[in-house]
């Protein structure tokens, strides 16, 4: 069964449930996995925290930093160990190549900075460009599948 | 809001007439809505993984906003045939010429729509240069929502549906306007 993670949401899952997010553009999909107990988490964040966080609630998971904090908290509560966590990033595109927009790029940079601060290893990424992506994450195998229109 | 619905309807008819003239086919208006919504809660017009041509025009002037014209893949191909005078059914992949013609279509439709809205409400709306994307609808719309959400959480959302006759092809215009700016200018109209 696939749990669809919508914009601004977070989900934690274990086999047989898998995690998925469809038609991702500038948003960033953050995937965490603890391969020991096979616990996975996915966040579908919209924006980095720069200059905007003050306007919003601290735990607003539309933003990268609060989303990562919430993912860690919920994974540890499910039995994962922080030292085992592996991260992957998908998305962060600019869908309009001629438009000067740094939303996607800033999302990726912001997530990498936060992962470094938290000491979580980034083991894979499929980010940037000007292409939409749909992503599926198998909690059984730890495999991330990214589909594009091409 | 009633006054705005009336203006919206008139602007929609003008925009569909402009499109009709451009492609020499009858175009009518289907859905025609104007409402205030939270931008993050916009419900998708079509399936989020459907491939569409999206023409995005940022809006400046008295009110900041975003206009997005959406043509599902088959509609975009049919329009391209009509716009660049090819045999119907020829286009299976969009060339730079097709993209340029579709962007110009976005310019004309939005320009016609804005002219009615701006003239009736006595406000200045300026459409910026059109931007083009051919990809999944959800990926396109979420970037526009995110761009808009940086400035405002709520929007005056205008949704129009264009129906092409005799075929059952559709196109959509989605317009997001900063609701606070809009209110402060038009007051009683909302």
């Amino acid at each position: 069964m696939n749990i669809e993670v919508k914009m601004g949401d977070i989900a934690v899952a274990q086999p047989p449930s898998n995690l998925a997010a469809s038609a991702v553009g500038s948003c960033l999909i953050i995937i965490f996995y603890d391969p020991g107990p096979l616990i996975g988490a996915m966040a579908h964040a919209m924006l980095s925290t720069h200059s905007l966080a003050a306007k919003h609630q601290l735990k607003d998971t539309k933003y990268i930093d609060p989303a990562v904090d919430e993912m860690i908290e919920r994974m540890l509560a499910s039995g994962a160990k922080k030292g085992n966590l592996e991260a992957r990033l998908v998305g962060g595109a600019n869908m309009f190549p001629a438009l000067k927009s740094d939303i996607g790029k800033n999302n990726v940079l912001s997530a990498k900075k936060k992962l470094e601060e938290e000491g979580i290893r980034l083991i894979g990424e499929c980010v940037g460009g000007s292409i939409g992506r749909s992503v599926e994450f198998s909690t059984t195998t730890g495999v991330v599948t990214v589909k594009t229109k091409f | 809001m009633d006054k705005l619905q009336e203006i919206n309807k008139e602007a929609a008819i003008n925009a569909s007439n402009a499109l009709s003239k451009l492609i020499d086919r009858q175009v009518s208006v289907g859905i025609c809505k104007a409402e205030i919504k939270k931008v993050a809660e916009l419900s998708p017009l079509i399936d989020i993984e459907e491939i569409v041509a999206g023409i995005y025009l940022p809006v400046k002037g008295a009110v900041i906003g975003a206009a997005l014209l959406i043509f599902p893949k088959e509609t975009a191909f049919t329009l391209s045939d009509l716009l660049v005078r090819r045999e119907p059914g020829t286009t299976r992949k969009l060339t730079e010429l097709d993209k340029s013609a579709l962007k110009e279509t976005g310019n004309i439709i939005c320009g016609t729509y804005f002219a009615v809205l701006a003239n009736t409400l006595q406000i200045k709306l300026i459409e910026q240069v059109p931007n083009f994307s051919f990809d999944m609808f959800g990926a396109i719309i979420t970037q526009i929502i995110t761009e808009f959400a940086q400035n405002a959480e709520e929007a005056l959302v205008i949704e129009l549906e264009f129906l092409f006759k005799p075929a059952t092809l559709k196109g959509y215009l989605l317009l997001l306007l900063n609701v606070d700016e809009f209110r402060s200018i038009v007051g009683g109209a909302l």
Side-chain angles (χ1 to χ4, degrees):
Chain A
M1 186 189 78
N2 272 359
I3 299 169
E4 179 75 20
V5 183
K6 295 196 171 144
M7 216 162 61
D9 283 350
I10 284 177
V12 176
Q14 281 183 278
S17 297
N18 294 321
L19 296 162
S22 303
V24 179
S26 60
C27 289
L28 189 67
I29 303 302
I30 307 165
I31 300 163
F32 284 175
Y33 190 49
D34 183 340
L38 308 181
I39 299 171
M42 185 181 278
H44 189 156
M46 291 168 75
L47 283 162
S48 60
T49 46
H50 306 298
S51 78
L52 297 159
K55 279 204 257 173
H56 296 269
Q57 293 171 359
L58 217 57
K59 280 204 160 190
D60 193 338
T61 53
K62 287 199 288 289
Y63 298 89
I64 304 277
D65 282 13
V68 169
D69 290 338
E70 179 89 7
M71 284 170 88
I72 295 170
E73 199 179 309
R74 286 173 61 179
M75 284 195 80
L76 298 189
S78 301
K81 287 198 170 60
K82 194 175 174 190
N84 291 347
L85 295 186
E86 299 170 338
R88 273 165 288 192
L89 303 175
V90 180
N94 175 11
M95 298 307 297
F96 299 94
L99 183 74
K100 194 183 168 339
S101 170
D102 290 330
I103 291 176
K105 192 172 122 193
N106 286 342
N107 282 345
V108 176
L109 292 174
S110 176
K112 286 184 174 174
K113 184 168 170 269
K114 178 69 174 166
L115 291 177
E116 205 177 315
E117 281 166 16
E118 296 293 338
I120 297 172
R121 278 186 309 137
L122 177 64
I123 63 162
E125 60 184 281
C126 180
V127 296
S130 55
I131 191 160
R133 299 167 169 101
S134 286
V135 52
E136 281 180 22
F137 173 58
S138 163
T139 56
T140 308
T141 61
V143 171
V144 175
T145 309
V146 178
K147 290 180 199 162
T148 66
K149 67 166 176 157
F150 297 109
Chain B
M1 202 72 187
D2 284 349
K3 188 183 168 196
L4 184 66
Q5 297 285 10
E6 266 177 50
I7 299 166
N8 185 31
K9 206 171 169 185
E10 190 195 334
I13 291 166
N14 280 22
S16 69
N17 287 343
L19 181 57
S20 181
K21 272 185 200 159
L22 198 67
I23 60 172
D24 197 21
R25 291 284 188 283
Q26 195 184 340
V27 180
S28 58
V29 179
I31 297 163
C32 180
K33 286 194 293 194
E35 51 194 340
I36 294 163
K37 281 186 191 174
K38 280 200 185 297
V39 279
E41 290 166 9
L42 273 175
S43 51
L45 298 157
I46 45 181
D47 181 74
I48 58 170
E49 287 194 312
E50 185 169 344
I51 302 296
V52 300
I55 301 118
Y56 167 48
L57 296 99
V59 180
K60 291 197 174 160
V63 182
I64 288 177
L68 179 67
L69 194 63
I70 291 286
F71 296 121
K73 187 169 78 176
E74 289 306 321
T75 307
F77 290 167
T78 304
L79 281 181
S80 296
D81 287 337
L82 294 168
L83 290 166
V84 301
R85 311 269 185 256
R86 286 193 201 103
E87 274 295 305
T90 309
T91 305
R92 300 315 299 162
K93 195 181 172 192
L94 297 177
T95 62
E96 286 307 313
L97 178 66
D98 298 325
K99 290 176 191 173
S100 177
L102 289 168
K103 277 199 281 189
E104 189 49 28
T105 306
N107 244 343
I108 291 166
I109 293 176
C110 293
T112 312
Y113 184 93
F114 289 146
V116 176
L117 194 63
N119 288 341
T120 318
L121 296 172
Q122 296 286 298
I123 58 172
K124 196 174 182 184
L125 291 174
I126 308 158
E127 60 191 89
Q128 304 289 296
V129 179
N131 297 276
F132 185 87
S133 181
F134 187 66
D135 211 302
M136 289 183 264
F137 171 68
I140 293 173
I141 187 78
T142 51
Q143 177 162 344
I144 288 158
I145 288 173
T146 309
E147 298 264 358
F148 191 89
Q150 290 187 98
N151 298 310
E153 290 201 340
E154 271 193 340
L156 169 63
V157 180
I158 292 165
E159 283 177 29
L160 302 179
E161 180 188 43
F162 298 111
L163 307 168
F164 299 85
K165 287 176 183 172
T168 52
L169 299 172
K170 289 178 181 179
Y172 305 89
L173 175 66
L174 180 74
L175 189 60
L176 304 177
L177 294 171
N178 185 306
V179 74
D180 293 332
E181 288 173 356
F182 202 79
R183 263 199 195 108
S184 71
I185 295 165
V186 300
L190 269 184

